[in-house]
């Protein structure tokens, strides 16, 4: 059964089409990765699912019920973890969670129980009286999650929940996502960290220019790009490196430099490694390593959109 | 229920914010204290009269005049005038010029000559008045004596016994505000109107801290959120005003009259007007422009409303201008209530404030409904 069903969804801002006739479904019990570069239409779609933006055309169904016609039902069953921290700094962790949970109709002892449960779940049970301004970035992110789950939604939308936090907090959050999923929540997860998406998502959709350009499991997506390969060349001195010259070499799709590693995506059938090496020697670049990568989501994304996810 | 939850949360948030205490409580109390103390003289109802020293030279030979004079001298001495007979060779006028005496009088059979101090004009005028009254009574008694000596005696005795050479009268000084009284009212209405500044942040702060997104995603209508926030903001600001009024009443002895209930009702409508005005402006002007417009309006309205100094005897265009200030309406109504006992003065202002507030709130509610987000 599908938790979420999006059919022919379109959103226009004046003449600009942010989401263009999108079709998408999220199955019950899935952690669904929703990938797109900035401005691809990802946030607009999420905002329409959350009823924050009106739909120009098309429809969205949550658990088989239209979210416009049954807005209250939809809102009751969705939890949203926004990319930006959406908490009150001057209110305690408990007050934050309790306030938002109260808006979902929880009252009295049930409200207290669910508030404590949500805080315990994100590991802030012992900090319930503390003000968020005394929290680290990771703790604030966890509180941001607690505010979205106390009312036990069926679908949780997590928009970049791990931005700007330390690896320990990131691991905690990723484990929390898995645990929520095991508890029966379906999750829509967006991130700029491709390795996170690869690690936790069961299915992934890539959105570009307001349209879904690919959808499937990690393996299905990777199989799309069997016609490309990725070569990583470690370099020590890259001062004289001419990336444009590399891009002109036959078969090369994209070239980027990341922390002394040249990452080259090329057509698989063309053997152009010798030309690449020759160009680097010509540029007097000192090579430390050369390796061909197995295709990953990053490569898939780059190949399909022509852009890096962080662009 | 959601409206109540949002309102309570709003109130909690306000009272956790130090700025609320500084701006809504400390600031008006300090203003009342500073302006009320610094401008005390501008509101003083009476004039203090200093020592009155009369130097006199009595060279009259008429025994009747001597008797009358002695009676007069005793009477005015009892009222605080220090009489000193001039010793021979004393130049009384010089003594007054040197400010050693308030006035100098020469009494002889032909009448009284009076020289008053040019420096202590009030005191010298008081003595002159007493002497004029004495001369009138003496002339009357002298004229009566020619016809009936008993009547003349009665006139003199009554005049001296009653001490009525100067009759004290009052312009009901208790019914005019002192400086502390005035500024307690003026600063309270000004701060009540400053509620528009916190109201302008009601929705914008939610957008800024991104909680608007969470609120909008919750199963609560925009109108419920709006109503809860307006109630919370109005209540918080009103509580601060109540605290300021009570503090000024009991700590500074400011006069708030005998009808505190209606005073609070009027101030409540000022806060409600300010909150709705602040919200309205944020939906008329975009971004920071709303704050700038509001700050300018509040400053001008405070000035015209008499928050910094009393606006009295305004006429023509300036009078019409001052009447545009909501603080002016409120201040006038409060003054009329407290000092003229005119309770009816409050009701048109309460009605006007409530009507304008309703118009602004309706405008914001309609605008909010039309908007996709906040």
């Amino acid at each position: 059964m599908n938790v979420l069903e999006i059919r022919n969804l379109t959103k226009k801002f004046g003449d600009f089409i942010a989401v263009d006739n999108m079709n998408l479904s999220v199955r019950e019990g899935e952690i669904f990765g929703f990938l797109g570069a900035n401005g691809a239409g990802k946030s607009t779609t999420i905002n329409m699912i959350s009823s924050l933006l009106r739909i120009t055309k098309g429809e969205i169904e949550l658990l088989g019920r239209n979210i416009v016609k049954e807005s209250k039902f939809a809102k009751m069953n969705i939890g949203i973890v926004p990319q930006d921290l959406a908490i009150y700094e001057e209110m305690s962790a408990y007050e934050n969670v309790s306030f938002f949970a109260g808006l979902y109709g929880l009252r009295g002892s049930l409200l207290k129980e669910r508030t404590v449960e949500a805080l315990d779940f994100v590991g802030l049970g012992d900090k319930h009286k503390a003000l968020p301004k005394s929290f680290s970035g990771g703790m604030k992110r966890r509180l941001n999650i607690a505010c979205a789950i106390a009312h036990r939604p069926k679908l949780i939308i997590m928009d970049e929940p791990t931005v700007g936090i330390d690896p320990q907090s990131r691991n905690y959050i990723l484990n929390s996502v898995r645990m929520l999923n095991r508890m029966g929540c379906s999750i829509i997860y967006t991130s700029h960290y491709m390795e996170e998406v690869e690690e936790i998502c069961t299915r992934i959709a890539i959105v570009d220019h307001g349209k879904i350009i690919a959808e499937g499991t990690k393996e299905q997506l990777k199989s799309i790009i069997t016609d490309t390969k990725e070569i990583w060349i470690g370099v020590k001195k890259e001062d004289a490196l001419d990336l444009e010259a590399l891009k002109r070499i036959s078969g090369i799709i994209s070239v980027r430099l990341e922390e002394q590693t040249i990452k080259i995506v090329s057509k698989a059938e063309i053997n152009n490694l010798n030309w690449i090496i020759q160009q680097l020697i010509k540029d007097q670049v000192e090579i430390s390593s050369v390796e061909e990568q197995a295709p990953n989501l990053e490569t898939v994304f780059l190949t399909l959109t022509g852009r890096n996810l962080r662009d | 229920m959601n409206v109540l939850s949002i309102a309570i949360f709003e109130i909690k948030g306000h009272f956790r914010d130090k700025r609320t205490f500084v701006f809504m409580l400390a600031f008006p109390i300090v203003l009342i204290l500073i302006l009320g103390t610094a401008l005390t003289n501008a509101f003083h109802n009476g004039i203090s009269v200093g020592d009155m020293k009369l130097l006199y030279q009595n060279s009259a030979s008429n025994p009747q005049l001597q008797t009358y004079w002695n009676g007069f001298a005793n009477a005015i001495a009892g009222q605080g005038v220090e009489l000193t007979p001039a010793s021979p060779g004393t130049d009384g006028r010089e003594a007054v010029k040197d400010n050693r005496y308030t006035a100098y009088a020469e009494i002889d059979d032909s009448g009284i000559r009076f020289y008053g101090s040019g420096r202590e004009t009030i005191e010298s005028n008081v003595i002159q008045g007493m002497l004029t009254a004495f001369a009138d009574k003496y002339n009357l008694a002298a004229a009566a004596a020619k016809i009936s000596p008993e009547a003349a005696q009665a006139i003199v005795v009554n005049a001296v016994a009653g001490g009525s050479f100067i009759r004290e009268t009052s312009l009901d000084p208790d019914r005019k505000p002192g400086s502390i009284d005035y500024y307690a009212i003026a600063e309270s209405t000004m701060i009540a109107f400053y509620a528009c500044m916190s109201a302008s942040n009601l929705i914008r702060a939610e957008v800024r801290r991104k909680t608007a997104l969470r609120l909008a995603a919750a199963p609560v209508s925009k109108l419920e959120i709006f109503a809860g926030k307006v109630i919370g903001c109005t209540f918080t600001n009103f509580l601060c005003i109540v605290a300021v009024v009570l503090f000024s009443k009991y700590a500074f002895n400011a006069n708030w009259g005998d009808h505190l209930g209606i005073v609070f009702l009027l101030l409540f409508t000022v806060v409600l007007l300010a909150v709705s005005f602040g919200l309205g402006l944020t939906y008329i002007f975009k971004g920071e422009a709303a704050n700038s417009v509001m700050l300018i309006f509040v400053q001008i309205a405070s000035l015209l409303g008499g928050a910094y100094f009393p606006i009295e005897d305004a006429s023509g265009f300036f009078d019409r201008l001052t009447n545009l200030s909501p603080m002016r309406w409120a201040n006038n109504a409060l003054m009329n209530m407290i000092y003229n006992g005119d309770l009816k003065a409050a009701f048109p202002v309460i009605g006007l404030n409530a009507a304008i507030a309703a118009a602004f709130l309706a405008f914001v509610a309609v605008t909010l409904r039309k908007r996709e987000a906040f």
Side-chain angles (χ1 to χ4, degrees), chain A residues 38 42 81-83 141 158-163 190-193:
Chain A
N38 290 332
K42 190 174 52 170
V81 181
Q83 178 179 350
R141 287 271 158 207
M158 294 185 156
D159 194 2
E160 308 256 358
T162 57
V163 163
T190 83
S191 176
H192 275 141
Y193 303 110

Side-chain angles (χ1 to χ4, degrees), chain B residues 172-199:
Chain B
D172 201 4
D174 291 340
R175 305 302 291 175
K176 285 192 78 182
S179 55
I180 287 281
D181 302 320
Y182 176 81
Y183 283 109
I185 292 171
E187 301 318 315
S188 297
T189 53
M190 183 181 83
I191 287 301
F193 203 77
Y194 263 93
C196 67
M197 303 300 289
S198 55

Side-chain angles (χ1 to χ4, degrees), chain B residues 151-340:
Chain B
Q153 192 59 36
I155 291 167
V156 173
V157 169
N158 285 342
V160 174
S164 59
F165 298 104
I166 293 285
R167 186 178 298 281
E168 284 178 27
T169 57
S170 166
L171 295 171
D172 201 4
D174 291 340
R175 305 302 291 175
K176 285 192 78 182
S179 55
I180 287 281
D181 302 320
Y182 176 81
Y183 283 109
I185 292 171
E187 301 318 315
S188 297
T189 53
M190 183 181 83
I191 287 301
F193 203 77
Y194 263 93
C196 67
M197 303 300 289
S198 55
S200 75
N201 261 328
L202 267 185
I203 303 292
R204 277 200 317 187
E206 298 289 349
V207 174
R208 212 169 27 237
R209 66 161 91 87
K210 314 292 178 192
T211 40
L213 200 146
R214 225 187 255 293
L215 288 174
V220 190
S221 72
K222 277 185 194 171
L223 280 181
E224 280 179 290
I225 296 167
F226 171 68
K229 294 192 80 64
V230 167
I231 291 169
C233 182
T234 306
F235 190 70
T236 309
N237 283 286
F238 179 62
L239 278 185
C240 291
I241 299 301
V242 170
V244 170
V245 169
L246 294 179
F247 190 87
S248 66
K249 182 177 169 65
Y250 294 109
F252 300 151
N253 287 322
N255 182 10
W256 282 98
D258 304 322
H259 304 282
L260 262 188
I262 299 184
V263 167
F264 284 137
L265 178 63
L266 193 145
L267 288 172
F268 177 78
T269 61
V270 176
V271 174
L272 187 64
L273 168 66
V275 168
S276 53
F277 172 74
L279 265 171
L281 279 198
T282 55
Y283 282 87
I284 294 170
F285 299 98
K286 287 194 173 158
E288 291 305 309
N291 254 7
S292 307
V293 171
M294 206 174 322
L295 203 59
I296 292 168
F297 180 84
V298 171
Q299 288 302 326
I300 293 173
S302 301
L303 198 71
L304 296 175
Y308 303 119
F309 50 83
I311 308 284
E312 287 172 345
D313 305 324
S315 59
F317 173 72
F318 188 64
D319 184 43
R320 287 196 292 278
L321 201 62
T322 59
N323 284 330
L324 292 176
S325 165
M327 281 165 255
R328 174 85 164 162
W329 316 331
N331 287 344
N332 284 348
L334 287 169
M335 291 289 179
N336 272 328
M337 273 170 61
I338 297 166
Y339 294 99
N340 295 333

Side-chain angles (χ1 to χ4, degrees), chain A residues 40 46 85 108 128 140 148 177 188 197 222 226 243 268 276:
Chain A
I46 287 174
L85 293 167
H128 68 281
K140 285 181 185 178
V177 174
I188 296 179
V197 176
K222 284 175 191 172
T226 48
L243 287 178
I276 293 167

Side-chain angles (χ1 to χ4, degrees), chain A residues 18-222:
Chain A
V19 177
D20 189 5
N21 212 29
M22 183 185 284
N23 288 285
L24 186 74
S25 58
V26 178
R27 292 171 202 151
E28 198 168 354
E30 262 186 349
I31 302 177
F32 188 84
F34 199 45
L35 301 182
N38 290 332
K42 190 174 52 170
S43 294
T44 307
T45 307
I46 287 174
N47 286 341
M48 282 190 283
I49 298 168
S50 321
S51 304
L52 302 179
L53 285 177
R54 290 187 193 124
I55 295 167
T56 307
K57 214 181 81 184
E59 59 181 358
I60 302 173
E61 279 182 2
L62 183 84
L63 298 165
R65 292 159 80 164
N66 188 294
I67 67 156
V68 178
K69 288 176 188 158
E70 296 188 61
S71 161
K72 191 165 183 181
F73 169 82
K75 286 180 168 187
M76 289 292 284
N77 286 289
I78 292 178
I80 185 151
V81 181
Q83 178 179 350
D84 297 301
L85 293 167
I87 50 176
Y88 296 95
E89 297 273 345
E90 70 278 14
M91 295 296 183
S92 70
Y94 183 93
E95 285 167 329
N96 266 285
V97 178
S98 172
F99 171 65
F100 287 116
L103 297 180
Y104 287 81
L106 300 178
R107 299 278 181 266
S109 55
L110 184 63
L111 175 63
K112 281 182 190 170
E113 188 186 304
R114 294 284 182 83
T115 302
V116 171
E117 182 186 282
L119 284 168
D120 283 342
F121 181 81
V122 297
L124 291 176
D126 56 338
K127 301 272 184 195
H128 68 281
K129 283 185 183 168
L131 299 182
K133 57 186 170 193
S134 66
F135 286 0
S136 68
M139 288 160 82
K140 285 181 185 178
R141 287 271 158 207
R142 276 142 61 188
L143 179 60
N144 207 29
I145 293 173
C147 290
I149 61 172
H151 62 286
R152 291 189 183 168
K154 293 274 187 297
L155 175 69
I156 301 173
I157 301 171
M158 294 185 156
D159 194 2
E160 308 256 358
T162 57
V163 163
I165 57 172
D166 57 281
Q168 201 181 348
S169 289
R170 175 174 296 169
N171 283 339
Y172 195 101
I173 289 175
L174 293 181
N175 284 335
S176 302
V177 174
R178 286 192 196 96
M179 210 181 297
L180 281 169
N181 183 241
R182 278 199 294 273
M183 288 159 68
C185 292
S186 304
I187 292 157
I188 296 179
Y189 192 92
T190 83
S191 176
H192 275 141
Y193 303 110
M194 203 63 91
E195 63 279 9
E196 278 181 13
V197 176
E198 203 157 357
E199 188 182 333
I200 64 167
C201 292
T202 42
R203 261 182 352 117
I204 297 155
I206 296 174
V207 59
D208 194 34
H209 295 106
K211 289 183 174 181
I212 301 289
I213 55 170
E215 186 184 346
T217 61
K218 285 170 274 190
E219 291 68 30
Q220 284 169 334
L221 289 179
K222 284 175 191 172

